[in-house]
Amino acid sequence: MIIDENLLLENGAVYENYPVKETIYEMGGIPHYYFQIVTGTVELNNYHEDGKEFTLNIIFEGQSFGESLLFGDKNYPMNAVARTDCKIIRLPKSNFLNILSENMELVFTMFRYLSDRLFYKYVILFSNSATDPVPKIKSLLDYYKENSLKQKSYPYQVPLTRQQIANLTGLRVETVIRTIKKMAADKLLKLDGRRILY
């Protein structure tokens, strides 16, 4: 979701810088802020008991994260970690809710944004139930291409590494590598060195 930065700043938001790998919030923490990425990439993740990372989502410049938890009283069910150096605008929860209470158009924008996120979760959940890795990867690439703020052209340069694709789909990275090569051979995508074009 993109809320105009000036509106956020006028209502008490501040810019914060997070270096790569710094934790923005941790699982179990209390949601106190609305976060919107000015520059950089943030990963939402969890860790299994065996220490294996599970990536829930990767959020890019211009998008917000964690905002759905500001409407309830639950703690964070995931971590938010800077995957690149990030500049993030942060607004206290009470100020965020005040902005929404005074701007009905923004409320409906928020509903659309949350609806899109739920749609993504349903599509990914269903595709991840498939035994064939192709639909899992294709659904993920479709989502990122459709929701790209910067690049809607063909071919779309996928902003994910093979490891990130593995983490988002629950596949092993070796399976992702083999499947992407197969998808390229089947002309479902193109490879340009390490870049995936979709």
Side-chain angles (χ1 to χ4, degrees):
M1 159 153 209
I2 299 175
I3 298 177
D4 182 83
E5 285 183 38
N6 291 325
L7 178 61
L8 293 172
L9 293 169
E10 288 166 8
N11 284 277
V14 295
Y15 291 107
E16 293 198 333
N17 294 307
Y18 294 88
V20 65
K21 296 185 181 178
E22 185 170 338
T23 299
I24 300 162
Y25 60 73
E26 291 183 329
M27 181 176 167
I30 299 170
H32 289 299
Y33 299 99
Y34 168 84
F35 297 97
Q36 187 168 294
I37 303 172
V38 179
T39 59
T41 303
V42 172
E43 180 179 283
L44 304 180
N45 66 24
N46 289 86
Y47 290 91
H48 293 284
E49 288 180 10
D50 62 3
K52 184 180 178 189
E53 179 182 355
F54 182 77
T55 303
L56 299 164
N57 207 347
I58 297 176
I59 315 295
F60 298 97
E61 181 178 316
Q63 296 179 317
S64 61
F65 58 96
E67 67 286 330
S68 63
L69 296 164
L70 297 176
F71 299 106
D73 59 358
K74 304 275 192 249
N75 292 2
Y76 287 118
M78 79 295 249
N79 307 298
V81 180
R83 281 299 169 218
T84 63
D85 290 338
C86 292
K87 182 178 183 181
I88 294 175
I89 194 161
R90 189 181 80 169
L91 179 70
K93 175 180 178 175
S94 59
N95 300 34
F96 171 70
L97 296 176
N98 285 340
I99 289 175
L100 292 181
S101 70
E102 296 170 1
N103 189 331
M104 192 53 68
E105 185 177 328
L106 194 55
V107 169
F108 283 105
T109 300
M110 174 66 69
F111 287 161
R112 281 192 300 275
Y113 186 73
L114 294 175
S115 175
D116 288 346
R117 287 254 175 105
L118 278 173
F119 177 81
Y120 160 70
K121 293 296 181 193
Y122 294 142
V123 168
I124 293 299
L125 184 63
F126 177 72
S127 67
N128 281 351
S129 69
T131 55
D132 182 357
V134 171
K136 294 181 182 190
I137 294 172
K138 188 173 182 321
S139 290
L140 183 69
L141 300 184
D142 287 342
Y143 170 77
Y144 276 93
K145 182 174 184 175
E146 182 180 318
N147 289 287
S148 171
L149 297 174
K150 288 186 170 181
Q151 186 180 0
K152 299 239 183 226
S153 62
Y154 179 82
Y156 166 68
Q157 184 174 334
V158 177
L160 304 170
T161 66
R162 283 142 179 86
Q163 182 64 60
Q164 288 171 326
I165 293 170
N167 290 349
L168 284 162
T169 58
L171 297 168
R172 293 180 44 216
V173 71
E174 297 82 6
T175 303
V176 170
I177 292 167
R178 279 195 311 274
T179 304
I180 286 175
K181 286 180 183 175
K182 180 184 183 309
M183 291 173 74
D186 293 343
K187 302 195 182 318
L188 295 173
L189 54 79
K190 295 179 184 178
L191 296 176
D192 180 16
R194 299 284 304 150
R195 296 187 313 152
I196 302 169
L197 306 174
Y198 184 67

